[in-house]
PDB file of all heavy atoms in Angstrom:
ATOM      1  N   LYS A1377      -7.401  -5.387  -6.283  1.00 92.00           N
ATOM      2  CA  LYS A1377      -7.821  -6.500  -7.145  1.00 92.00           C
ATOM      3  C   LYS A1377      -6.824  -6.727  -8.279  1.00 92.00           C
ATOM      4  O   LYS A1377      -6.486  -7.860  -8.607  1.00 92.00           O
ATOM      5  CB  LYS A1377      -9.215  -6.231  -7.716  1.00 92.00           C
ATOM      6  CG  LYS A1377     -10.304  -6.375  -6.691  1.00 92.00           C
ATOM      7  CD  LYS A1377     -11.655  -6.053  -7.297  1.00 92.00           C
ATOM      8  CE  LYS A1377     -12.707  -5.987  -6.204  1.00 92.00           C
ATOM      9  NZ  LYS A1377     -13.973  -5.462  -6.694  1.00 92.00           N
ATOM     10  N   ARG A1378      -6.354  -5.646  -8.866  1.00 94.00           N
ATOM     11  CA  ARG A1378      -5.405  -5.772  -9.984  1.00 94.00           C
ATOM     12  C   ARG A1378      -4.041  -6.276  -9.524  1.00 94.00           C
ATOM     13  O   ARG A1378      -3.392  -7.055 -10.220  1.00 94.00           O
ATOM     14  CB  ARG A1378      -5.276  -4.450 -10.713  1.00 94.00           C
ATOM     15  CG  ARG A1378      -6.559  -4.102 -11.441  1.00 94.00           C
ATOM     16  CD  ARG A1378      -6.306  -3.031 -12.431  1.00 94.00           C
ATOM     17  NE  ARG A1378      -7.539  -2.638 -13.084  1.00 94.00           N
ATOM     18  CZ  ARG A1378      -7.566  -1.931 -14.174  1.00 94.00           C
ATOM     19  NH1 ARG A1378      -6.439  -1.539 -14.738  1.00 94.00           N
ATOM     20  NH2 ARG A1378      -8.701  -1.592 -14.722  1.00 94.00           N
ATOM     21  N   VAL A1379      -3.604  -5.807  -8.344  1.00 95.00           N
ATOM     22  CA  VAL A1379      -2.334  -6.287  -7.796  1.00 95.00           C
ATOM     23  C   VAL A1379      -2.429  -7.790  -7.568  1.00 95.00           C
ATOM     24  O   VAL A1379      -1.547  -8.554  -7.972  1.00 95.00           O
ATOM     25  CB  VAL A1379      -1.987  -5.565  -6.470  1.00 95.00           C
ATOM     26  CG1 VAL A1379      -0.811  -6.233  -5.770  1.00 95.00           C
ATOM     27  CG2 VAL A1379      -1.697  -4.084  -6.726  1.00 95.00           C
ATOM     28  N   LYS A1380      -3.508  -8.231  -6.929  1.00 94.00           N
ATOM     29  CA  LYS A1380      -3.671  -9.650  -6.598  1.00 94.00           C
ATOM     30  C   LYS A1380      -3.858 -10.505  -7.849  1.00 94.00           C
ATOM     31  O   LYS A1380      -3.462 -11.665  -7.867  1.00 94.00           O
ATOM     32  CB  LYS A1380      -4.843  -9.848  -5.639  1.00 94.00           C
ATOM     33  CG  LYS A1380      -4.618  -9.214  -4.277  1.00 94.00           C
ATOM     34  CD  LYS A1380      -3.445  -9.858  -3.557  1.00 94.00           C
ATOM     35  CE  LYS A1380      -3.343  -9.337  -2.145  1.00 94.00           C
ATOM     36  NZ  LYS A1380      -2.405 -10.098  -1.331  1.00 94.00           N
ATOM     37  N   LYS A1381      -4.445  -9.928  -8.885  1.00 94.00           N
ATOM     38  CA  LYS A1381      -4.586 -10.657 -10.144  1.00 94.00           C
ATOM     39  C   LYS A1381      -3.207 -10.905 -10.757  1.00 94.00           C
ATOM     40  O   LYS A1381      -2.931 -11.978 -11.285  1.00 94.00           O
ATOM     41  CB  LYS A1381      -5.463  -9.872 -11.113  1.00 94.00           C
ATOM     42  CG  LYS A1381      -5.754 -10.616 -12.399  1.00 94.00           C
ATOM     43  CD  LYS A1381      -6.718  -9.839 -13.268  1.00 94.00           C
ATOM     44  CE  LYS A1381      -7.034 -10.622 -14.535  1.00 94.00           C
ATOM     45  NZ  LYS A1381      -7.962  -9.905 -15.401  1.00 94.00           N
ATOM     46  N   LYS A1382      -2.332  -9.902 -10.670  1.00 93.00           N
ATOM     47  CA  LYS A1382      -0.971 -10.043 -11.194  1.00 93.00           C
ATOM     48  C   LYS A1382      -0.180 -11.041 -10.359  1.00 93.00           C
ATOM     49  O   LYS A1382       0.492 -11.908 -10.880  1.00 93.00           O
ATOM     50  CB  LYS A1382      -0.252  -8.697 -11.201  1.00 93.00           C
ATOM     51  CG  LYS A1382       1.173  -8.778 -11.732  1.00 93.00           C
ATOM     52  CD  LYS A1382       1.885  -7.464 -11.610  1.00 93.00           C
ATOM     53  CE  LYS A1382       3.247  -7.425 -12.229  1.00 93.00           C
ATOM     54  NZ  LYS A1382       4.161  -8.482 -11.944  1.00 93.00           N
ATOM     55  N   ASP A1383      -0.250 -10.893  -9.026  1.00 95.00           N
ATOM     56  CA  ASP A1383       0.484 -11.777  -8.121  1.00 95.00           C
ATOM     57  C   ASP A1383      -0.236 -11.814  -6.776  1.00 95.00           C
ATOM     58  O   ASP A1383      -0.142 -10.871  -5.994  1.00 95.00           O
ATOM     59  CB  ASP A1383       1.915 -11.274  -7.943  1.00 95.00           C
ATOM     60  CG  ASP A1383       2.763 -12.208  -7.091  1.00 95.00           C
ATOM     61  OD1 ASP A1383       2.214 -13.082  -6.388  1.00 95.00           O
ATOM     62  OD2 ASP A1383       3.993 -12.055  -7.121  1.00 95.00           O
ATOM     63  N   PRO A1384      -0.946 -12.899  -6.488  1.00 94.00           N
ATOM     64  CA  PRO A1384      -1.711 -12.995  -5.246  1.00 94.00           C
ATOM     65  C   PRO A1384      -0.860 -12.936  -3.978  1.00 94.00           C
ATOM     66  O   PRO A1384      -1.380 -12.718  -2.889  1.00 94.00           O
ATOM     67  CB  PRO A1384      -2.421 -14.350  -5.350  1.00 94.00           C
ATOM     68  CG  PRO A1384      -2.054 -14.954  -6.635  1.00 94.00           C
ATOM     69  CD  PRO A1384      -1.086 -14.072  -7.342  1.00 94.00           C
ATOM     70  N   ASP A1385       0.453 -13.112  -4.118  1.00 94.00           N
ATOM     71  CA  ASP A1385       1.331 -13.105  -2.947  1.00 94.00           C
ATOM     72  C   ASP A1385       1.836 -11.713  -2.563  1.00 94.00           C
ATOM     73  O   ASP A1385       2.496 -11.566  -1.538  1.00 94.00           O
ATOM     74  CB  ASP A1385       2.525 -14.031  -3.180  1.00 94.00           C
ATOM     75  CG  ASP A1385       2.103 -15.489  -3.286  1.00 94.00           C
ATOM     76  OD1 ASP A1385       1.098 -15.869  -2.643  1.00 94.00           O
ATOM     77  OD2 ASP A1385       2.759 -16.246  -4.023  1.00 94.00           O
ATOM     78  N   ILE A1386       1.557 -10.701  -3.375  1.00 96.00           N
ATOM     79  CA  ILE A1386       1.982  -9.341  -3.026  1.00 96.00           C
ATOM     80  C   ILE A1386       0.993  -8.776  -2.007  1.00 96.00           C
ATOM     81  O   ILE A1386      -0.191  -8.617  -2.307  1.00 96.00           O
ATOM     82  CB  ILE A1386       2.044  -8.421  -4.261  1.00 96.00           C
ATOM     83  CG1 ILE A1386       3.087  -8.919  -5.261  1.00 96.00           C
ATOM     84  CG2 ILE A1386       2.345  -6.971  -3.831  1.00 96.00           C
ATOM     85  CD1 ILE A1386       3.131  -8.134  -6.559  1.00 96.00           C
ATOM     86  N   PRO A1387       1.468  -8.459  -0.793  1.00 96.00           N
ATOM     87  CA  PRO A1387       0.568  -7.868   0.197  1.00 96.00           C
ATOM     88  C   PRO A1387       0.128  -6.464  -0.226  1.00 96.00           C
ATOM     89  O   PRO A1387       0.908  -5.706  -0.804  1.00 96.00           O
ATOM     90  CB  PRO A1387       1.419  -7.793   1.467  1.00 96.00           C
ATOM     91  CG  PRO A1387       2.574  -8.708   1.227  1.00 96.00           C
ATOM     92  CD  PRO A1387       2.796  -8.716  -0.255  1.00 96.00           C
ATOM     93  N   VAL A1388      -1.137  -6.147   0.081  1.00 96.00           N
ATOM     94  CA  VAL A1388      -1.691  -4.829  -0.218  1.00 96.00           C
ATOM     95  C   VAL A1388      -2.213  -4.222   1.082  1.00 96.00           C
ATOM     96  O   VAL A1388      -3.037  -4.823   1.772  1.00 96.00           O
ATOM     97  CB  VAL A1388      -2.838  -4.911  -1.244  1.00 96.00           C
ATOM     98  CG1 VAL A1388      -3.455  -3.527  -1.468  1.00 96.00           C
ATOM     99  CG2 VAL A1388      -2.346  -5.497  -2.568  1.00 96.00           C
ATOM    100  N   ILE A1389      -1.709  -3.032   1.394  1.00 95.00           N
ATOM    101  CA  ILE A1389      -2.195  -2.263   2.542  1.00 95.00           C
ATOM    102  C   ILE A1389      -3.000  -1.097   1.999  1.00 95.00           C
ATOM    103  O   ILE A1389      -2.512  -0.317   1.182  1.00 95.00           O
ATOM    104  CB  ILE A1389      -1.032  -1.736   3.410  1.00 95.00           C
ATOM    105  CG1 ILE A1389      -0.212  -2.898   3.981  1.00 95.00           C
ATOM    106  CG2 ILE A1389      -1.574  -0.837   4.525  1.00 95.00           C
ATOM    107  CD1 ILE A1389       1.022  -2.465   4.763  1.00 95.00           C
ATOM    108  N   LEU A1390      -4.235  -0.981   2.455  1.00 92.00           N
ATOM    109  CA  LEU A1390      -5.128   0.100   2.054  1.00 92.00           C
ATOM    110  C   LEU A1390      -5.092   1.174   3.134  1.00 92.00           C
ATOM    111  O   LEU A1390      -5.281   0.881   4.315  1.00 92.00           O
ATOM    112  CB  LEU A1390      -6.547  -0.436   1.898  1.00 92.00           C
ATOM    113  CG  LEU A1390      -7.583   0.525   1.350  1.00 92.00           C
ATOM    114  CD1 LEU A1390      -7.373   0.748  -0.143  1.00 92.00           C
ATOM    115  CD2 LEU A1390      -8.974  -0.035   1.584  1.00 92.00           C
ATOM    116  N   ILE A1391      -4.830   2.406   2.721  1.00 91.00           N
ATOM    117  CA  ILE A1391      -4.793   3.528   3.657  1.00 91.00           C
ATOM    118  C   ILE A1391      -6.006   4.404   3.387  1.00 91.00           C
ATOM    119  O   ILE A1391      -6.265   4.785   2.248  1.00 91.00           O
ATOM    120  CB  ILE A1391      -3.491   4.334   3.502  1.00 91.00           C
ATOM    121  CG1 ILE A1391      -2.294   3.432   3.801  1.00 91.00           C
ATOM    122  CG2 ILE A1391      -3.494   5.547   4.421  1.00 91.00           C
ATOM    123  CD1 ILE A1391      -0.965   4.070   3.580  1.00 91.00           C
ATOM    124  N   THR A1392      -6.749   4.708   4.445  1.00 85.00           N
ATOM    125  CA  THR A1392      -7.959   5.490   4.269  1.00 85.00           C
ATOM    126  C   THR A1392      -8.133   6.541   5.356  1.00 85.00           C
ATOM    127  O   THR A1392      -7.802   6.297   6.512  1.00 85.00           O
ATOM    128  CB  THR A1392      -9.208   4.577   4.233  1.00 85.00           C
ATOM    129  OG1 THR A1392     -10.360   5.394   4.124  1.00 85.00           O
ATOM    130  CG2 THR A1392      -9.315   3.718   5.470  1.00 85.00           C
ATOM    131  N   GLY A1393      -8.641   7.675   4.956  1.00 76.00           N
ATOM    132  CA  GLY A1393      -8.995   8.729   5.899  1.00 76.00           C
ATOM    133  C   GLY A1393     -10.479   8.713   6.197  1.00 76.00           C
ATOM    134  O   GLY A1393     -10.993   9.564   6.905  1.00 76.00           O
ATOM    135  N   TRP A1394     -11.180   7.729   5.659  1.00 61.00           N
ATOM    136  CA  TRP A1394     -12.630   7.668   5.801  1.00 61.00           C
ATOM    137  C   TRP A1394     -13.077   6.868   7.008  1.00 61.00           C
ATOM    138  O   TRP A1394     -14.271   6.664   7.215  1.00 61.00           O
ATOM    139  CB  TRP A1394     -13.263   7.082   4.538  1.00 61.00           C
ATOM    140  CG  TRP A1394     -13.025   7.911   3.318  1.00 61.00           C
ATOM    141  CD1 TRP A1394     -12.464   9.155   3.260  1.00 61.00           C
ATOM    142  CD2 TRP A1394     -13.322   7.560   1.979  1.00 61.00           C
ATOM    143  NE1 TRP A1394     -12.380   9.598   1.978  1.00 61.00           N
ATOM    144  CE2 TRP A1394     -12.917   8.632   1.157  1.00 61.00           C
ATOM    145  CE3 TRP A1394     -13.888   6.442   1.379  1.00 61.00           C
ATOM    146  CZ2 TRP A1394     -13.061   8.621  -0.216  1.00 61.00           C
ATOM    147  CZ3 TRP A1394     -14.032   6.437   0.014  1.00 61.00           C
ATOM    148  CH2 TRP A1394     -13.623   7.520  -0.767  1.00 61.00           C
ATOM    149  N   GLY A1395     -12.131   6.391   7.801  1.00 56.00           N
ATOM    150  CA  GLY A1395     -12.481   5.645   8.999  1.00 56.00           C
ATOM    151  C   GLY A1395     -13.257   4.375   8.699  1.00 56.00           C
ATOM    152  O   GLY A1395     -14.159   3.994   9.418  1.00 56.00           O
ATOM    153  N   VAL A1396     -12.896   3.709   7.636  1.00 54.00           N
ATOM    154  CA  VAL A1396     -13.614   2.514   7.202  1.00 54.00           C
ATOM    155  C   VAL A1396     -13.392   1.370   8.189  1.00 54.00           C
ATOM    156  O   VAL A1396     -12.271   1.052   8.544  1.00 54.00           O
ATOM    157  CB  VAL A1396     -13.141   2.087   5.794  1.00 54.00           C
ATOM    158  CG1 VAL A1396     -13.781   0.783   5.377  1.00 54.00           C
ATOM    159  CG2 VAL A1396     -13.440   3.173   4.788  1.00 54.00           C
ATOM    160  N   ARG A1397     -14.486   0.780   8.630  1.00 59.00           N
ATOM    161  CA  ARG A1397     -14.446  -0.427   9.454  1.00 59.00           C
ATOM    162  C   ARG A1397     -15.022  -1.548   8.599  1.00 59.00           C
ATOM    163  O   ARG A1397     -16.149  -1.463   8.134  1.00 59.00           O
ATOM    164  CB  ARG A1397     -15.290  -0.263  10.720  1.00 59.00           C
ATOM    165  CG  ARG A1397     -14.797   0.830  11.623  1.00 59.00           C
ATOM    166  CD  ARG A1397     -14.001   0.211  12.757  1.00 59.00           C
ATOM    167  NE  ARG A1397     -13.659   1.226  13.727  1.00 59.00           N
ATOM    168  CZ  ARG A1397     -12.436   1.685  13.901  1.00 59.00           C
ATOM    169  NH1 ARG A1397     -11.474   1.249  13.155  1.00 59.00           N
ATOM    170  NH2 ARG A1397     -12.175   2.581  14.807  1.00 59.00           N
ATOM    171  N   ILE A1398     -14.239  -2.571   8.405  1.00 56.00           N
ATOM    172  CA  ILE A1398     -14.652  -3.642   7.504  1.00 56.00           C
ATOM    173  C   ILE A1398     -14.563  -4.979   8.225  1.00 56.00           C
ATOM    174  O   ILE A1398     -13.583  -5.266   8.898  1.00 56.00           O
ATOM    175  CB  ILE A1398     -13.762  -3.658   6.246  1.00 56.00           C
ATOM    176  CG1 ILE A1398     -13.894  -2.326   5.517  1.00 56.00           C
ATOM    177  CG2 ILE A1398     -14.114  -4.806   5.336  1.00 56.00           C
ATOM    178  CD1 ILE A1398     -12.953  -2.159   4.383  1.00 56.00           C
ATOM    179  N   GLU A1399     -15.588  -5.795   8.050  1.00 54.00           N
ATOM    180  CA  GLU A1399     -15.578  -7.126   8.633  1.00 54.00           C
ATOM    181  C   GLU A1399     -14.534  -7.976   7.917  1.00 54.00           C
ATOM    182  O   GLU A1399     -14.202  -7.740   6.759  1.00 54.00           O
ATOM    183  CB  GLU A1399     -16.955  -7.772   8.480  1.00 54.00           C
ATOM    184  CG  GLU A1399     -18.032  -7.071   9.268  1.00 54.00           C
ATOM    185  CD  GLU A1399     -19.389  -7.707   9.044  1.00 54.00           C
ATOM    186  OE1 GLU A1399     -19.451  -8.836   8.513  1.00 54.00           O
ATOM    187  OE2 GLU A1399     -20.376  -7.074   9.405  1.00 54.00           O
ATOM    188  N   GLU A1400     -14.047  -9.004   8.609  1.00 56.00           N
ATOM    189  CA  GLU A1400     -12.986  -9.844   8.052  1.00 56.00           C
ATOM    190  C   GLU A1400     -13.395 -10.493   6.733  1.00 56.00           C
ATOM    191  O   GLU A1400     -12.589 -10.585   5.806  1.00 56.00           O
ATOM    192  CB  GLU A1400     -12.591 -10.916   9.072  1.00 56.00           C
ATOM    193  CG  GLU A1400     -11.290 -11.588   8.716  1.00 56.00           C
ATOM    194  CD  GLU A1400     -10.753 -12.458   9.834  1.00 56.00           C
ATOM    195  OE1 GLU A1400     -10.997 -12.163  11.012  1.00 56.00           O
ATOM    196  OE2 GLU A1400     -10.082 -13.445   9.485  1.00 56.00           O
ATOM    197  N   ASP A1401     -14.646 -10.944   6.614  1.00 56.00           N
ATOM    198  CA  ASP A1401     -15.120 -11.541   5.364  1.00 56.00           C
ATOM    199  C   ASP A1401     -15.000 -10.557   4.206  1.00 56.00           C
ATOM    200  O   ASP A1401     -14.528 -10.898   3.127  1.00 56.00           O
ATOM    201  CB  ASP A1401     -16.591 -11.971   5.481  1.00 56.00           C
ATOM    202  CG  ASP A1401     -16.722 -13.420   5.876  1.00 56.00           C
ATOM    203  OD1 ASP A1401     -15.678 -14.089   6.024  1.00 56.00           O
ATOM    204  OD2 ASP A1401     -17.866 -13.871   6.021  1.00 56.00           O
ATOM    205  N   SER A1402     -15.437  -9.326   4.446  1.00 55.00           N
ATOM    206  CA  SER A1402     -15.367  -8.289   3.409  1.00 55.00           C
ATOM    207  C   SER A1402     -13.925  -7.990   3.049  1.00 55.00           C
ATOM    208  O   SER A1402     -13.599  -7.782   1.879  1.00 55.00           O
ATOM    209  CB  SER A1402     -16.060  -7.012   3.882  1.00 55.00           C
ATOM    210  OG  SER A1402     -17.411  -7.263   4.147  1.00 55.00           O
ATOM    211  N   LEU A1403     -13.077  -7.958   4.051  1.00 60.00           N
ATOM    212  CA  LEU A1403     -11.656  -7.687   3.822  1.00 60.00           C
ATOM    213  C   LEU A1403     -11.051  -8.783   2.945  1.00 60.00           C
ATOM    214  O   LEU A1403     -10.326  -8.499   1.991  1.00 60.00           O
ATOM    215  CB  LEU A1403     -10.924  -7.599   5.161  1.00 60.00           C
ATOM    216  CG  LEU A1403      -9.494  -7.102   5.154  1.00 60.00           C
ATOM    217  CD1 LEU A1403      -9.401  -5.696   4.602  1.00 60.00           C
ATOM    218  CD2 LEU A1403      -8.912  -7.152   6.546  1.00 60.00           C
ATOM    219  N   ASN A1404     -11.368 -10.039   3.232  1.00 62.00           N
ATOM    220  CA  ASN A1404     -10.847 -11.155   2.439  1.00 62.00           C
ATOM    221  C   ASN A1404     -11.341 -11.097   1.000  1.00 62.00           C
ATOM    222  O   ASN A1404     -10.587 -11.348   0.073  1.00 62.00           O
ATOM    223  CB  ASN A1404     -11.220 -12.497   3.077  1.00 62.00           C
ATOM    224  CG  ASN A1404     -10.476 -12.732   4.369  1.00 62.00           C
ATOM    225  OD1 ASN A1404      -9.399 -12.196   4.579  1.00 62.00           O
ATOM    226  ND2 ASN A1404     -11.044 -13.536   5.239  1.00 62.00           N
ATOM    227  N   ARG A1405     -12.611 -10.757   0.800  1.00 64.00           N
ATOM    228  CA  ARG A1405     -13.157 -10.672  -0.559  1.00 64.00           C
ATOM    229  C   ARG A1405     -12.542  -9.519  -1.340  1.00 64.00           C
ATOM    230  O   ARG A1405     -12.415  -9.581  -2.551  1.00 64.00           O
ATOM    231  CB  ARG A1405     -14.686 -10.501  -0.510  1.00 64.00           C
ATOM    232  CG  ARG A1405     -15.431 -11.782  -0.274  1.00 64.00           C
ATOM    233  CD  ARG A1405     -16.907 -11.640  -0.569  1.00 64.00           C
ATOM    234  NE  ARG A1405     -17.527 -10.452  -0.001  1.00 64.00           N
ATOM    235  CZ  ARG A1405     -18.064 -10.395   1.217  1.00 64.00           C
ATOM    236  NH1 ARG A1405     -18.061 -11.446   2.009  1.00 64.00           N
ATOM    237  NH2 ARG A1405     -18.607  -9.277   1.650  1.00 64.00           N
ATOM    238  N   SER A1406     -12.170  -8.466  -0.635  1.00 68.00           N
ATOM    239  CA  SER A1406     -11.640  -7.273  -1.303  1.00 68.00           C
ATOM    240  C   SER A1406     -10.201  -7.448  -1.779  1.00 68.00           C
ATOM    241  O   SER A1406      -9.694  -6.625  -2.523  1.00 68.00           O
ATOM    242  CB  SER A1406     -11.703  -6.071  -0.363  1.00 68.00           C
ATOM    243  OG  SER A1406     -10.730  -6.205   0.656  1.00 68.00           O
ATOM    244  N   LYS A1407      -9.536  -8.495  -1.308  1.00 79.00           N
ATOM    245  CA  LYS A1407      -8.142  -8.788  -1.671  1.00 79.00           C
ATOM    246  C   LYS A1407      -7.136  -7.900  -0.935  1.00 79.00           C
ATOM    247  O   LYS A1407      -5.946  -7.957  -1.205  1.00 79.00           O
ATOM    248  CB  LYS A1407      -7.885  -8.677  -3.182  1.00 79.00           C
ATOM    249  CG  LYS A1407      -8.848  -9.432  -4.041  1.00 79.00           C
ATOM    250  CD  LYS A1407      -8.629 -10.898  -3.934  1.00 79.00           C
ATOM    251  CE  LYS A1407      -9.541 -11.627  -4.929  1.00 79.00           C
ATOM    252  NZ  LYS A1407      -9.657 -13.013  -4.654  1.00 79.00           N
TER     253      LYS A1407
END
Side-chain angles (χ1 to χ4, degrees):
K1377 287 178 189 170
R1378 292 196 183 195
V1379 170
K1380 295 297 187 169
K1381 185 175 182 180
K1382 180 185 186 312
D1383 184 344
D1385 294 329
I1386 297 175
V1388 176
I1389 298 176
L1390 186 73
I1391 299 175
T1392 177
W1394 298 352
V1396 175
R1397 298 260 187 251
I1398 300 173
E1399 294 178 15
E1400 194 169 330
D1401 266 358
S1402 299
L1403 190 60
N1404 290 335
R1405 280 194 313 271
S1406 72
K1407 309 289 185 196

